[in-house]
Amino acid sequence: MLRFKPHALTAALGLSYLLAASPAVAADAIKIGVPVGLSGANSVVAPSVVQAAQLAVEEINAAGGILGRQVELVVADDGSGAVGAQKAFDSLIFQKKVDVLISMETSAARNAGLPILARGKVPYIYTSFYEGRSCSPWMHVNAWVPEQQVPPVVDHFMKAKAAKTFFLVGSDYSFGRGMLEFTRKYAEGKGAKVVGEEYLPMDGTDWTAVISKIRAAKPDALVTSTAGGAPNVTLTKQLRAAGINIPYGNLAVDEGTAKGMGADAKGIFISASYVTSIDTPANQKFLAAMGKKFGADLKTPNDLSVPQYEAVYAYKAAVEKAKSTDSKKVSAALSEVTVDGPRGSIKMGKQRHAPLTMYLGEVQADGAVQVIASFKNVDPGSQCPNLK
């Protein structure tokens, strides 16, 4: 069983290890490293990701572990950015000697960590939706890419809302720009016009100038792609305060963040591979287990935390298929195994990405997501053609 246990590291490292194994965990435990943004832009959503990983590890240990070995979770704060990620990856791989990395991160953090991953040669399951086409022989992705997520939003705005002009707003880094580049090309390919495209730094909080440009351009619809967490909150609050009430699609907000935003989130359209209202036995079992474990401290399960839960089980399946924790064998097996979890059956076999069922939803006043349409087994498209 795992528990929160603060562990002091020097401020210079910028790392915060939050989980340590109890004495019941064997000395030969399999170590899962989780570099995640406990501070910075992702700090709004990171706690839910940690909780999901905790539950998966607890369940696996209770069932006998992996190949008879118990599992230990080691969490490091990557600060939601490049510098912190470099330190977190280095510490987890070379000092803590984890067997695998499993985590959602900002694209800036992921990109900074990949060269360290290449040196350390450990498997990495990236569990965050992202802008696509990030490829490494050591990395698999079980979350959505633009080809899976953008079309439902744009198509809905054009068909149901008669939108012909779009304004795009994002955080100024690879995710924000990559998502909106795809959105612009997709919308224009459908005959729409993009009348504005604006960005703020990841830590930017004052959207006044951007909102003025939106007001001047008078678009039919707004699509945003900000760093998950805090920027979603600040942008949405300021849009609402400014009286911007056009159809609003947010490519980065998760259900947990939406609930935390309160009434400001009402009316946001999202496209996600997970919503809590998925009515399947697997999802109901997962939600019940999360509620039982965390009680009043539960963070809303969402499209960032559920892939984390499933990825821990994917790693278990890959190790058992490989009959080893050998990095090369496990990396090969990760493309072959299927996990049946809250989102359904997930297999990262399409160039190390996964076909996913996607849900188009509208956020309600209580933060819940009302599903408007679902799209089964949406192909991720060509992501990493040079990787098997």
Side-chain angles (χ1 to χ4, degrees):
M1 185 174 181
L2 297 171
R3 64 179 185 273
F4 276 106
K5 184 177 180 182
H7 184 81
L9 291 177
T10 63
L13 277 177
L15 303 178
S16 176
Y17 285 85
L18 297 185
L19 298 178
S22 72
V25 175
D28 68 340
I30 292 173
K31 292 184 178 181
I32 295 177
V34 181
V36 68
L38 297 166
S39 59
N42 273 353
S43 60
V44 174
V45 296
S48 67
V49 174
V50 173
Q51 286 188 344
Q54 281 185 283
L55 177 63
V57 168
E58 182 178 271
E59 290 175 343
I60 289 169
N61 282 341
I66 302 176
L67 298 182
R69 296 167 62 186
Q70 292 286 281
V71 180
E72 179 183 352
L73 205 60
V74 188
V75 179
D77 183 12
D78 66 22
S80 302
V83 174
Q86 289 171 339
K87 294 172 181 176
F89 272 62
D90 186 81
S91 182
L92 288 169
I93 294 172
F94 296 109
Q95 296 177 33
K96 298 297 180 179
K97 299 190 181 301
V98 299
D99 296 283
V100 62
L101 296 179
I102 302 176
S103 189
M104 62 78 61
E105 297 184 281
T106 65
S107 291
R110 180 200 67 245
N111 289 339
L114 286 179
I116 300 168
L117 184 77
R119 293 204 314 270
K121 298 180 179 179
V122 300
Y124 176 31
I125 306 177
Y126 184 57
T127 62
S128 176
F129 50 72
Y130 83 115
E131 70 281 359
R133 294 171 178 79
S134 182
C135 305
S136 163
W138 301 103
M139 184 174 75
H140 283 73
V141 182
N142 73 347
W144 57 250
V145 291
E147 287 87 340
Q148 295 165 307
Q149 196 245 6
V150 171
V153 174
V154 173
D155 290 349
H156 181 72
F157 285 175
M158 293 186 70
K159 294 175 183 177
K161 305 294 184 180
K164 296 180 180 179
T165 59
F166 287 76
F167 200 105
L168 311 180
V169 178
S171 292
D172 192 5
Y173 75 120
S174 51
F175 174 74
R177 288 190 174 274
M179 291 298 299
L180 294 185
E181 178 183 5
F182 183 92
T183 303
R184 182 179 63 254
K185 290 178 179 178
Y186 184 83
E188 290 174 345
K190 291 287 186 174
K193 182 179 180 180
V194 174
V195 295
E197 186 171 341
E198 295 292 329
Y199 297 88
L200 278 191
M202 281 179 62
D203 59 355
T205 58
D206 185 356
W207 299 91
T208 304
V210 172
I211 291 172
S212 293
K213 292 179 180 180
I214 295 172
R215 197 188 303 279
K218 298 180 180 178
D220 297 325
L222 172 69
V223 177
T224 67
S225 181
T226 48
N232 283 320
V233 177
T234 58
L235 174 56
T236 302
K237 284 184 177 297
Q238 291 171 42
L239 284 168
R240 298 313 192 205
I244 304 294
N245 293 315
I246 57 177
Y248 171 18
N250 190 313
L251 304 181
V253 74
D254 64 281
E255 192 170 354
T257 303
K259 286 193 174 183
M261 290 161 68
D264 289 328
K266 182 182 178 181
I268 291 177
F269 289 86
I270 70 169
S271 177
S273 67
Y274 177 80
V275 290
T276 54
S277 60
I278 294 174
D279 189 14
T280 62
N283 188 43
Q284 296 306 316
K285 179 181 178 182
F286 166 74
L287 291 173
M290 289 292 289
K292 181 178 179 181
K293 179 170 177 59
F294 296 104
D297 295 326
L298 175 66
K299 306 300 181 183
T300 302
N302 56 73
D303 209 19
L304 291 164
S305 68
V306 171
Q308 181 79 13
Y309 174 83
E310 294 169 339
V312 176
Y313 275 97
Y315 176 70
K316 176 181 184 290
V319 170
E320 290 173 344
K321 183 176 180 63
K323 297 181 174 59
S324 168
T325 57
D326 177 81
S327 292
K328 287 186 177 179
K329 293 179 180 178
V330 171
S331 289
L334 281 170
S335 294
E336 301 171 2
V337 299
T338 299
V339 171
D340 292 317
R343 295 185 297 166
S345 294
I346 308 293
K347 181 180 180 180
M348 297 175 285
K350 180 68 185 289
Q351 299 170 11
R352 303 193 174 213
H353 288 67
L356 299 169
T357 295
M358 299 298 295
Y359 301 88
L360 175 67
E362 183 177 4
V363 181
Q364 305 300 295
D366 62 354
V369 176
Q370 179 183 343
V371 174
I372 298 170
S374 62
F375 309 85
K376 195 168 181 62
N377 295 328
V378 182
D379 194 284
S382 181
Q383 295 296 324
C384 301
N386 296 323
L387 295 178
K388 295 181 180 179

